[in-house]
Coordinates of all heavy atoms in Angstrom, one line a residue:
M95 N 13.9 -7.8 14.7 CA 13.0 -7.5 13.7 C 12.2 -6.3 14.1 O 11.5 -6.3 15.1 CB 12.1 -8.8 13.5 CG 11.0 -8.5 12.6 SD 9.8 -9.9 12.2 CE 10.6 -11.3 13.0
S96 N 12.3 -5.2 13.3 CA 11.7 -4.0 13.6 C 10.3 -3.9 12.9 O 10.3 -4.1 11.7 CB 12.6 -2.8 13.2 OG 11.9 -1.6 13.4
Q97 N 9.3 -3.6 13.7 CA 7.9 -3.5 13.1 C 7.6 -2.0 12.9 O 8.0 -1.2 13.7 CB 6.9 -4.1 14.0 CG 7.1 -5.5 14.4 CD 6.6 -6.5 13.3 OE1 6.8 -6.2 12.1 NE2 6.0 -7.5 13.7
K98 N 6.9 -1.7 11.8 CA 6.4 -0.4 11.6 C 5.1 -0.3 10.8 O 4.8 -1.3 10.1 CB 7.5 0.4 10.8 CG 7.8 0.0 9.4 CD 9.0 0.7 8.8 CE 8.7 2.2 8.4 NZ 9.8 2.8 7.7
S99 N 4.5 0.8 10.9 CA 3.2 1.1 10.1 C 3.5 2.3 9.3 O 3.9 3.3 9.9 CB 2.1 1.3 11.1 OG 1.7 0.1 11.7
V100 N 3.1 2.3 8.0 CA 3.3 3.4 7.2 C 2.1 3.6 6.3 O 1.5 2.6 5.8 CB 4.5 3.2 6.2 CG1 4.7 4.4 5.3 CG2 5.8 3.0 7.0
Q101 N 1.6 4.8 6.2 CA 0.5 5.2 5.3 C 1.1 5.8 4.1 O 1.9 6.8 4.1 CB -0.4 6.1 6.0 CG -1.6 6.5 5.1 CD -2.6 7.4 5.9 OE1 -2.8 7.3 7.1 NE2 -3.1 8.4 5.2
F102 N 0.7 5.3 2.9 CA 1.1 5.8 1.6 C -0.1 6.4 0.9 O -1.2 5.9 1.0 CB 1.7 4.7 0.7 CG 2.9 4.0 1.3 CD1 2.7 2.8 2.0 CD2 4.1 4.6 1.2 CE1 3.8 2.2 2.5 CE2 5.2 3.9 1.7 CZ 5.1 2.7 2.4
T103 N 0.1 7.5 0.1 CA -0.9 8.0 -0.8 C -0.3 7.9 -2.2 O 0.8 8.5 -2.4 CB -1.3 9.4 -0.5 OG1 -1.8 9.5 0.9 CG2 -2.4 9.9 -1.4
V104 N -0.9 7.1 -3.0 CA -0.4 6.9 -4.4 C -1.3 7.6 -5.4 O -2.5 7.4 -5.4 CB -0.4 5.4 -4.7 CG1 0.3 5.1 -6.1 CG2 0.3 4.6 -3.6
K105 N -0.6 8.5 -6.2 CA -1.4 9.4 -7.1 C -1.0 9.0 -8.5 O 0.2 8.6 -8.8 CB -1.1 10.8 -6.8 CG -1.6 11.2 -5.4 CD -1.4 12.7 -5.2 CE -1.9 13.1 -3.8 NZ -1.7 14.5 -3.5
G106 N -1.9 9.3 -9.4 CA -1.7 9.0 -10.8 C -2.9 8.2 -11.4 O -4.0 8.4 -10.8
K107 N -2.7 7.4 -12.4 CA -3.8 6.6 -12.9 C -3.7 5.3 -12.1 O -3.1 4.3 -12.5 CB -3.6 6.3 -14.4 CG -4.7 5.4 -14.9 CD -4.5 5.1 -16.4 CE -5.7 4.3 -16.9 NZ -5.5 3.7 -18.2
V108 N -4.4 5.3 -10.9 CA -4.3 4.2 -10.0 C -5.6 3.6 -9.5 O -5.7 2.7 -8.7 CB -3.4 4.6 -8.7 CG1 -2.0 4.8 -9.1 CG2 -4.0 5.8 -8.0
Q109 N -6.7 4.2 -10.1 CA -8.0 3.6 -9.9 C -8.5 3.0 -11.2 O -8.2 3.4 -12.3 CB -9.0 4.6 -9.4 CG -8.7 5.1 -8.0 CD -9.8 5.9 -7.4 OE1 -10.9 6.1 -7.9 NE2 -9.5 6.5 -6.2
Q110 N -9.3 1.9 -11.1 CA -9.8 1.1 -12.2 C -8.7 0.5 -13.1 O -8.9 0.3 -14.3 CB -10.7 2.0 -13.1 CG -11.9 2.6 -12.3 CD -12.8 3.4 -13.1 OE1 -12.5 4.0 -14.1 NE2 -14.1 3.5 -12.7
V111 N -7.6 0.1 -12.4 CA -6.5 -0.6 -13.1 C -6.1 -1.8 -12.3 O -5.0 -2.3 -12.6 CB -5.3 0.4 -13.4 CG1 -5.7 1.4 -14.5 CG2 -4.8 1.0 -12.2
G112 N -6.8 -2.2 -11.3 CA -6.5 -3.3 -10.4 C -5.4 -3.0 -9.4 O -4.8 -3.9 -8.8
F113 N -5.2 -1.7 -9.1 CA -4.2 -1.3 -8.2 C -4.4 -1.9 -6.8 O -3.4 -2.4 -6.2 CB -4.0 0.2 -8.1 CG -2.7 0.7 -7.6 CD1 -1.7 1.0 -8.4 CD2 -2.6 0.9 -6.2 CE1 -0.5 1.4 -7.9 CE2 -1.3 1.3 -5.7 CZ -0.3 1.5 -6.6
R114 N -5.6 -1.7 -6.2 CA -5.8 -2.2 -4.9 C -5.7 -3.7 -4.8 O -5.1 -4.3 -3.9 CB -7.3 -1.8 -4.4 CG -7.4 -0.4 -4.2 CD -8.8 0.0 -3.8 NE -9.7 -0.4 -4.8 CZ -10.9 -1.0 -4.6 NH1 -11.4 -1.1 -3.4 NH2 -11.7 -1.3 -5.6
F115 N -6.2 -4.5 -5.8 CA -6.1 -5.9 -5.8 C -4.6 -6.3 -5.8 O -4.2 -7.2 -5.0 CB -6.8 -6.5 -7.0 CG -6.5 -8.0 -7.2 CD1 -7.3 -8.9 -6.5 CD2 -5.6 -8.4 -8.1 CE1 -7.0 -10.3 -6.7 CE2 -5.3 -9.8 -8.3 CZ -6.1 -10.7 -7.5
H116 N -3.8 -5.7 -6.7 CA -2.4 -6.1 -6.8 C -1.6 -5.7 -5.6 O -0.7 -6.4 -5.2 CB -1.8 -5.6 -8.1 CG -2.3 -6.3 -9.4 ND1 -1.9 -7.5 -9.7 CD2 -3.2 -5.9 -10.3 CE1 -2.5 -7.9 -10.8 NE2 -3.3 -6.9 -11.2
T117 N -2.0 -4.5 -5.0 CA -1.3 -4.1 -3.8 C -1.6 -5.1 -2.7 O -0.6 -5.5 -2.0 CB -1.8 -2.7 -3.4 OG1 -1.5 -1.8 -4.4 CG2 -1.2 -2.3 -2.1
A118 N -2.8 -5.5 -2.5 CA -3.2 -6.5 -1.5 C -2.4 -7.8 -1.7 O -1.9 -8.4 -0.8 CB -4.7 -6.8 -1.5
H119 N -2.4 -8.3 -3.0 CA -1.7 -9.5 -3.3 C -0.2 -9.4 -3.0 O 0.4 -10.3 -2.3 CB -1.8 -9.8 -4.8 CG -1.1 -11.1 -5.2 ND1 -1.6 -12.3 -5.0 CD2 0.0 -11.2 -5.9 CE1 -0.8 -13.2 -5.5 NE2 0.2 -12.6 -6.1
T120 N 0.4 -8.3 -3.3 CA 1.9 -8.1 -3.0 C 2.1 -8.0 -1.5 O 3.1 -8.6 -1.0 CB 2.4 -6.8 -3.8 OG1 2.1 -7.0 -5.2 CG2 3.8 -6.6 -3.5
A121 N 1.3 -7.3 -0.8 CA 1.4 -7.1 0.6 C 1.3 -8.4 1.3 O 2.1 -8.7 2.2 CB 0.4 -6.1 1.1
L122 N 0.3 -9.2 0.9 CA 0.1 -10.5 1.6 C 1.3 -11.5 1.3 O 1.8 -12.2 2.2 CB -1.2 -11.2 1.1 CG -2.4 -10.5 1.6 CD1 -3.7 -11.0 0.9 CD2 -2.6 -10.8 3.1
K123 N 1.9 -11.4 0.1 CA 3.1 -12.2 -0.2 C 4.3 -11.8 0.7 O 5.1 -12.6 1.0 CB 3.5 -12.0 -1.7 CG 2.7 -12.9 -2.6 CD 3.3 -12.9 -4.0 CE 4.2 -11.9 -4.4 NZ 4.6 -11.9 -5.9
L124 N 4.3 -10.5 1.1 CA 5.4 -10.0 1.9 C 5.1 -10.2 3.4 O 5.9 -9.9 4.2 CB 5.6 -8.5 1.6 CG 6.2 -8.2 0.3 CD1 6.1 -6.7 0.0 CD2 7.6 -8.7 0.1
G125 N 3.9 -10.7 3.7 CA 3.5 -11.0 5.1 C 3.1 -9.7 5.8 O 3.1 -9.6 7.1
L126 N 2.5 -8.7 5.1 CA 2.1 -7.5 5.7 C 0.6 -7.5 6.0 O -0.1 -8.2 5.3 CB 2.4 -6.3 4.8 CG 3.9 -6.1 4.4 CD1 4.1 -5.0 3.4 CD2 4.7 -5.8 5.7
T127 N 0.2 -6.6 6.9 CA -1.2 -6.4 7.1 C -1.5 -4.9 6.8 O -0.6 -4.1 6.6 CB -1.6 -6.7 8.6 OG1 -0.9 -5.8 9.5 CG2 -1.3 -8.1 9.0
G128 N -2.8 -4.6 6.7 CA -3.2 -3.2 6.4 C -4.3 -3.2 5.4 O -5.2 -4.0 5.5
Y129 N -4.3 -2.2 4.6 CA -5.4 -2.0 3.6 C -5.0 -1.2 2.4 O -4.0 -0.4 2.5 CB -6.7 -1.4 4.3 CG -6.5 0.0 4.8 CD1 -6.5 1.1 4.0 CD2 -6.3 0.2 6.2 CE1 -6.3 2.4 4.5 CE2 -6.1 1.5 6.7 CZ -6.1 2.6 5.8 OH -5.9 3.8 6.3
A130 N -5.8 -1.2 1.4 CA -5.7 -0.3 0.2 C -7.1 0.1 -0.1 O -8.0 -0.7 -0.2 CB -5.1 -1.1 -1.0
R131 N -7.3 1.5 -0.2 CA -8.6 2.0 -0.5 C -8.6 3.2 -1.4 O -7.6 4.0 -1.3 CB -9.3 2.3 0.8 CG -9.2 3.6 1.4 CD -10.1 3.8 2.6 NE -9.3 4.4 3.7 CZ -9.6 4.2 4.9 NH1 -10.5 3.4 5.3 NH2 -8.8 4.8 5.9
N132 N -9.5 3.2 -2.3 CA -9.7 4.4 -3.2 C -10.1 5.6 -2.4 O -10.9 5.5 -1.5 CB -10.7 4.1 -4.3 CG -10.3 3.1 -5.3 OD1 -9.1 2.9 -5.5 ND2 -11.2 2.5 -6.0
Q133 N -9.6 6.7 -2.9 CA -9.9 8.0 -2.3 C -10.7 8.8 -3.3 O -10.6 8.6 -4.5 CB -8.7 8.8 -1.9 CG -7.8 8.1 -0.9 CD -8.5 7.9 0.4 OE1 -8.9 8.9 1.1 NE2 -8.8 6.7 0.8
N134 N -11.5 9.8 -2.9 CA -12.4 10.5 -3.8 C -11.6 11.4 -4.8 O -12.1 11.7 -5.8 CB -13.3 11.5 -2.9 CG -14.3 10.7 -2.2 OD1 -14.7 9.6 -2.6 ND2 -14.8 11.3 -1.1
D135 N -10.3 11.7 -4.5 CA -9.5 12.5 -5.4 C -8.9 11.7 -6.5 O -8.1 12.2 -7.3 CB -8.5 13.3 -4.6 CG -7.5 12.5 -3.9 OD1 -7.5 11.2 -4.0 OD2 -6.6 13.1 -3.3
G136 N -9.1 10.4 -6.5 CA -8.5 9.5 -7.6 C -7.3 8.8 -7.1 O -6.7 8.0 -7.9
S137 N -6.8 9.1 -5.9 CA -5.6 8.4 -5.4 C -6.0 7.1 -4.7 O -7.2 6.8 -4.5 CB -4.9 9.3 -4.4 OG -5.6 9.6 -3.3
V138 N -5.0 6.4 -4.3 CA -5.2 5.2 -3.5 C -4.4 5.3 -2.2 O -3.2 5.7 -2.2 CB -4.8 3.9 -4.2 CG1 -4.8 2.7 -3.3 CG2 -5.7 3.7 -5.4
E139 N -5.1 5.1 -1.0 CA -4.4 5.2 0.3 C -4.1 3.7 0.6 O -4.9 2.8 0.5 CB -5.4 5.7 1.3 CG -4.8 5.8 2.7 CD -5.8 6.3 3.7 OE1 -6.6 7.2 3.4 OE2 -5.8 5.8 4.8
V140 N -2.8 3.5 1.1 CA -2.4 2.2 1.5 C -1.8 2.3 2.9 O -0.9 3.2 3.1 CB -1.3 1.7 0.5 CG1 -0.7 0.3 1.0 CG2 -1.8 1.6 -0.9
L141 N -2.2 1.4 3.8 CA -1.6 1.3 5.1 C -0.9 0.0 5.1 O -1.5 -1.1 4.8 CB -2.7 1.3 6.2 CG -2.1 1.1 7.6 CD1 -1.2 2.3 8.0 CD2 -3.2 0.9 8.6
A142 N 0.4 0.0 5.4 CA 1.2 -1.2 5.4 C 1.8 -1.4 6.8 O 2.4 -0.4 7.3 CB 2.3 -1.2 4.4
C143 N 1.6 -2.5 7.5 CA 2.1 -2.8 8.8 C 2.8 -4.1 8.8 O 2.3 -5.1 8.3 CB 0.9 -2.9 9.8 SG -0.2 -1.5 9.8
G144 N 4.0 -4.1 9.3 CA 4.8 -5.3 9.4 C 6.3 -5.0 9.5 O 6.7 -4.0 10.0
E145 N 7.1 -6.1 9.2 CA 8.5 -5.9 9.3 C 9.0 -4.8 8.4 O 8.6 -4.7 7.3 CB 9.2 -7.3 8.9 CG 10.7 -7.3 9.1 CD 11.3 -8.6 8.7 OE1 10.6 -9.7 8.8 OE2 12.4 -8.6 8.2
E146 N 9.9 -4.0 9.0 CA 10.3 -2.7 8.3 C 10.9 -3.0 6.9 O 10.5 -2.3 5.9 CB 11.4 -2.0 9.1 CG 11.9 -0.7 8.5 CD 12.8 0.0 9.4 OE1 13.2 -0.5 10.5 OE2 13.1 1.2 9.0
S147 N 11.7 -4.1 6.7 CA 12.2 -4.4 5.4 C 11.1 -4.7 4.4 O 11.2 -4.4 3.2 CB 13.3 -5.5 5.5 OG 12.7 -6.7 5.9
K148 N 10.1 -5.4 4.8 CA 9.0 -5.8 4.0 C 8.1 -4.6 3.6 O 7.6 -4.5 2.5 CB 8.1 -6.9 4.6 CG 8.9 -8.1 4.9 CD 9.5 -8.8 3.7 CE 10.2 -10.1 4.0 NZ 10.8 -10.7 2.8
V149 N 7.9 -3.7 4.5 CA 7.2 -2.4 4.2 C 8.0 -1.6 3.2 O 7.4 -1.1 2.3 CB 7.0 -1.6 5.5 CG1 6.4 -0.2 5.2 CG2 6.0 -2.3 6.5
N150 N 9.3 -1.6 3.3 CA 10.1 -0.9 2.4 C 10.0 -1.6 1.0 O 10.0 -0.9 -0.1 CB 11.6 -0.9 2.8 CG 11.8 0.0 4.0 OD1 11.0 0.8 4.4 ND2 12.8 -0.3 4.8
E151 N 9.9 -2.9 0.9 CA 9.8 -3.6 -0.4 C 8.4 -3.2 -1.0 O 8.4 -3.0 -2.2 CB 9.8 -5.1 -0.2 CG 11.2 -5.7 0.0 CD 11.2 -7.2 0.1 OE1 10.6 -7.8 -0.9 OE2 11.7 -7.8 1.1
L152 N 7.4 -3.1 -0.2 CA 6.1 -2.7 -0.7 C 6.2 -1.3 -1.2 O 5.6 -1.0 -2.3 CB 5.0 -2.9 0.3 CG 3.6 -2.5 -0.2 CD1 3.1 -3.4 -1.3 CD2 2.6 -2.4 0.9
E153 N 6.8 -0.4 -0.5 CA 7.0 1.0 -1.0 C 7.6 1.0 -2.3 O 7.2 1.8 -3.2 CB 7.8 1.7 0.0 CG 8.0 3.2 -0.4 CD 8.9 4.0 0.6 OE1 9.4 3.4 1.6 OE2 9.0 5.2 0.3
E154 N 8.7 0.2 -2.5 CA 9.3 0.2 -3.9 C 8.3 -0.2 -4.9 O 8.3 0.3 -6.0 CB 10.5 -0.7 -3.8 CG 11.7 -0.2 -3.1 CD 12.3 1.1 -3.7 OE1 12.5 1.1 -5.0 OE2 12.6 2.0 -3.0
W155 N 7.6 -1.2 -4.6 CA 6.6 -1.8 -5.6 C 5.5 -0.7 -5.9 O 5.1 -0.6 -7.1 CB 5.9 -3.0 -5.1 CG 4.9 -3.6 -6.0 CD1 5.2 -4.5 -7.0 CD2 3.5 -3.3 -6.1 NE1 4.0 -4.8 -7.7 CE2 3.0 -4.0 -7.2 CE3 2.7 -2.5 -5.4 CZ2 1.7 -4.0 -7.5 CZ3 1.4 -2.4 -5.7 CH2 0.9 -3.2 -6.8
L156 N 5.1 0.1 -4.9 CA 4.1 1.1 -5.1 C 4.5 2.2 -6.1 O 3.6 2.7 -6.8 CB 3.7 1.8 -3.8 CG 3.0 0.9 -2.7 CD1 2.8 1.7 -1.4 CD2 1.6 0.5 -3.3
H157 N 5.7 2.4 -6.3 CA 6.2 3.4 -7.2 C 6.0 3.0 -8.7 O 6.0 3.8 -9.6 CB 7.7 3.7 -7.0 CG 7.9 4.6 -5.8 ND1 7.9 5.9 -5.9 CD2 8.2 4.3 -4.5 CE1 8.1 6.4 -4.7 NE2 8.3 5.4 -3.9
T158 N 5.7 1.7 -8.9 CA 5.4 1.2 -10.3 C 4.0 0.7 -10.3 O 3.2 1.0 -11.2 CB 6.4 0.1 -10.6 OG1 7.7 0.6 -10.5 CG2 6.1 -0.4 -12.1
G159 N 3.6 -0.1 -9.4 CA 2.3 -0.7 -9.3 C 2.1 -1.8 -10.4 O 3.0 -2.2 -11.1
P160 N 0.8 -2.1 -10.7 CA 0.5 -3.1 -11.7 C 0.7 -2.5 -13.1 O 0.8 -1.3 -13.3 CB -0.9 -3.5 -11.5 CG -1.5 -2.3 -10.8 CD -0.4 -1.7 -10.0
Q161 N 0.7 -3.4 -14.1 CA 1.0 -3.0 -15.5 C 0.2 -1.8 -16.0 O 0.8 -0.9 -16.7 CB 0.9 -4.2 -16.4 CG 1.3 -4.0 -17.8 CD 1.2 -5.2 -18.7 OE1 0.9 -6.3 -18.2 NE2 1.5 -5.1 -19.9
L162 N -1.1 -1.8 -15.8 CA -1.9 -0.7 -16.3 C -1.9 0.6 -15.6 O -2.4 1.6 -16.0 CB -3.4 -1.2 -16.4 CG -3.7 -2.4 -17.3 CD1 -5.1 -2.8 -17.2 CD2 -3.3 -2.0 -18.8
A163 N -1.3 0.6 -14.4 CA -1.2 1.8 -13.6 C -0.1 2.7 -14.1 O 0.9 2.3 -14.8 CB -0.9 1.5 -12.1
R164 N -0.3 4.0 -13.8 CA 0.7 5.0 -14.2 C 0.9 5.9 -12.9 O 0.2 6.8 -12.7 CB 0.3 5.9 -15.3 CG 0.1 5.2 -16.6 CD 1.4 4.7 -17.2 NE 1.2 3.9 -18.3 CZ 1.2 2.5 -18.3 NH1 1.4 1.9 -17.2 NH2 1.1 1.9 -19.5
V165 N 1.8 5.5 -12.1 CA 2.1 6.2 -10.8 C 2.8 7.5 -11.0 O 3.9 7.4 -11.6 CB 2.8 5.2 -9.8 CG1 3.2 6.0 -8.5 CG2 2.0 4.0 -9.5
E166 N 2.3 8.5 -10.5 CA 2.9 9.9 -10.6 C 3.7 10.2 -9.3 O 4.8 10.8 -9.4 CB 1.9 10.9 -10.9 CG 1.3 10.8 -12.3 CD 0.1 11.8 -12.5 OE1 -0.1 12.6 -11.6 OE2 -0.5 11.7 -13.5
S167 N 3.2 9.8 -8.2 CA 3.8 10.1 -6.9 C 3.4 9.1 -5.8 O 2.3 8.6 -5.9 CB 3.6 11.5 -6.5 OG 2.3 11.7 -6.1
V168 N 4.3 9.0 -4.8 CA 3.9 8.2 -3.6 C 4.3 9.0 -2.4 O 5.5 9.3 -2.3 CB 4.7 6.8 -3.6 CG1 4.4 6.0 -2.3 CG2 4.3 6.0 -4.9
E169 N 3.4 9.4 -1.6 CA 3.6 10.1 -0.4 C 3.6 9.1 0.8 O 2.9 8.2 0.8 CB 2.6 11.2 -0.2 CG 2.5 12.2 -1.3 CD 1.3 13.1 -1.2 OE1 0.6 13.1 -0.2 OE2 1.1 13.9 -2.1
K170 N 4.5 9.4 1.7 CA 4.7 8.4 2.8 C 4.6 9.1 4.2 O 5.3 10.2 4.3 CB 6.1 7.8 2.6 CG 6.6 6.9 3.8 CD 8.0 6.4 3.5 CE 8.5 5.6 4.6 NZ 9.9 5.1 4.3
I171 N 3.8 8.6 5.1 CA 3.8 9.1 6.4 C 3.9 7.9 7.4 O 3.1 7.0 7.4 CB 2.4 9.8 6.7 CG1 2.2 10.9 5.7 CG2 2.3 10.2 8.2 CD1 0.8 11.5 5.8
D172 N 4.9 8.0 8.3 CA 5.1 6.9 9.3 C 3.9 7.2 10.3 O 3.7 8.3 10.7 CB 6.4 7.1 10.0 CG 7.6 6.6 9.1 OD1 7.4 5.7 8.3 OD2 8.7 7.2 9.2
T173 N 3.3 6.1 10.7 CA 2.2 6.2 11.7 C 2.5 5.3 12.9 O 3.4 4.5 12.9 CB 0.8 5.7 11.0 OG1 0.9 4.4 10.6 CG2 0.5 6.6 9.8
Q174 N 1.6 5.5 13.9 CA 1.7 4.6 15.1 C 1.5 3.2 14.7 O 0.6 2.9 13.9 CB 0.7 5.1 16.1 CG 0.8 4.4 17.4 CD -0.1 5.0 18.5 OE1 -0.7 6.0 18.3 NE2 -0.2 4.3 19.6
W175 N 2.2 2.3 15.3 CA 2.0 0.8 15.0 C 0.6 0.4 15.2 O -0.1 0.8 16.2 CB 2.9 0.0 15.9 CG 2.7 -1.5 15.8 CD1 2.1 -2.2 16.8 CD2 2.9 -2.3 14.7 NE1 1.9 -3.5 16.3 CE2 2.5 -3.6 15.1 CE3 3.5 -2.1 13.5 CZ2 2.6 -4.7 14.2 CZ3 3.6 -3.2 12.6 CH2 3.2 -4.5 13.0
Q176 N 0.1 -0.4 14.3 CA -1.3 -0.9 14.4 C -1.2 -2.4 14.2 O -0.6 -2.9 13.2 CB -2.2 -0.3 13.3 CG -2.3 1.2 13.4 CD -3.3 1.7 12.4 OE1 -4.4 1.2 12.1 NE2 -2.9 2.8 11.8
E177 N -1.8 -3.1 15.1 CA -1.8 -4.6 15.1 C -3.0 -5.0 14.4 O -4.1 -5.0 14.9 CB -1.8 -5.2 16.5 CG -1.7 -6.6 16.6 CD -0.3 -7.1 16.3 OE1 0.7 -6.5 16.7 OE2 -0.1 -8.2 15.7
L178 N -2.9 -5.4 13.1 CA -4.0 -5.8 12.3 C -3.9 -7.3 11.9 O -2.8 -7.8 12.0 CB -4.1 -5.0 11.0 CG -4.2 -3.5 11.2 CD1 -4.1 -2.7 9.9 CD2 -5.5 -3.1 11.9
S179 N -4.9 -7.9 11.5 CA -4.9 -9.4 11.3 C -4.8 -9.8 9.8 O -4.6 -10.9 9.5 CB -6.1 -10.0 11.9 OG -7.3 -9.6 11.3
D180 N -5.0 -8.8 8.9 CA -5.1 -9.2 7.5 C -4.8 -7.9 6.6 O -4.6 -6.8 7.1 CB -6.5 -9.7 7.1 CG -6.6 -10.5 5.9 OD1 -5.6 -10.7 5.2 OD2 -7.7 -11.0 5.6
F181 N -4.8 -8.1 5.3 CA -4.7 -7.0 4.4 C -5.9 -6.9 3.6 O -6.3 -7.9 2.9 CB -3.4 -7.1 3.5 CG -3.0 -5.8 2.8 CD1 -2.0 -5.0 3.4 CD2 -3.7 -5.3 1.7 CE1 -1.7 -3.8 2.8 CE2 -3.4 -4.1 1.1 CZ -2.4 -3.4 1.7
K182 N -6.6 -5.8 3.6 CA -8.0 -5.7 3.0 C -8.0 -4.6 1.9 O -7.1 -3.7 1.9 CB -9.0 -5.3 4.1 CG -9.1 -6.4 5.2 CD -10.1 -6.0 6.2 CE -10.1 -7.1 7.3 NZ -11.3 -7.5 7.8
M183 N -9.0 -4.7 1.1 CA -9.3 -3.7 0.1 C -10.6 -3.1 0.4 O -11.6 -3.7 0.7 CB -9.4 -4.4 -1.3 CG -8.1 -5.0 -1.8 SD -8.3 -5.6 -3.5 CE -9.7 -6.8 -3.3
Y184 N -10.7 -1.8 0.3 CA -11.9 -1.0 0.5 C -12.2 -0.2 -0.7 O -11.3 0.2 -1.5 CB -11.8 -0.1 1.7 CG -11.6 -0.8 3.0 CD1 -10.3 -0.8 3.6 CD2 -12.6 -1.4 3.6 CE1 -10.1 -1.4 4.8 CE2 -12.4 -2.1 4.8 CZ -11.2 -2.0 5.4 OH -11.0 -2.7 6.6

């Protein structure tokens, strides 16, 4: 089982549509840790840590997001592994 940490930047209509809440819910269902937080430029930053296949599943979900979101792009940066205990919203 390969562990990885990935930071995503999701752009589009992703604030004030429940994006962070639904991202956290989806990540927790997948057994991931990390966070989702709004950025000043209107994007959402997501850090996902866990089994590589589950991080990949979350990445696929991020391209659509919740029903009210309109995702324009998802940028991905592999980061150093981080041992976190939960998935949080900021």
Side-chain angles (χ1 to χ4, degrees):
M95 171 180 353
S96 177
Q97 302 278 43
K98 71 187 283 185
S99 294
V100 179
Q101 180 179 320
F102 300 98
T103 301
V104 186
K105 296 182 178 179
K107 183 181 178 189
V108 293
Q109 289 190 11
Q110 299 181 338
V111 293
F113 198 93
R114 291 176 303 141
F115 173 82
H116 289 284
T117 299
H119 178 76
T120 302
L122 288 169
K123 281 192 339 187
L124 292 170
L126 299 174
T127 61
Y129 61 79
R131 88 172 133 212
N132 287 339
Q133 299 297 296
N134 291 335
D135 65 0
S137 66
V138 172
E139 178 183 326
V140 177
L141 176 69
C143 306
E145 187 179 327
E146 184 173 7
S147 65
K148 301 298 183 182
V149 172
N150 293 340
E151 282 185 55
L152 181 65
E153 179 181 5
E154 287 297 315
W155 181 88
L156 290 173
H157 283 275
T158 304
Q161 185 175 357
L162 296 176
R164 297 293 173 260
V165 176
E166 294 173 4
S167 68
V168 178
E169 299 170 10
K170 172 184 177 180
I171 300 171
D172 289 329
T173 64
Q174 184 175 352
W175 171 252
Q176 296 183 46
E177 188 72 39
L178 303 171
S179 61
D180 202 357
F181 198 97
K182 300 182 183 214
M183 295 183 302
Y184 296 106

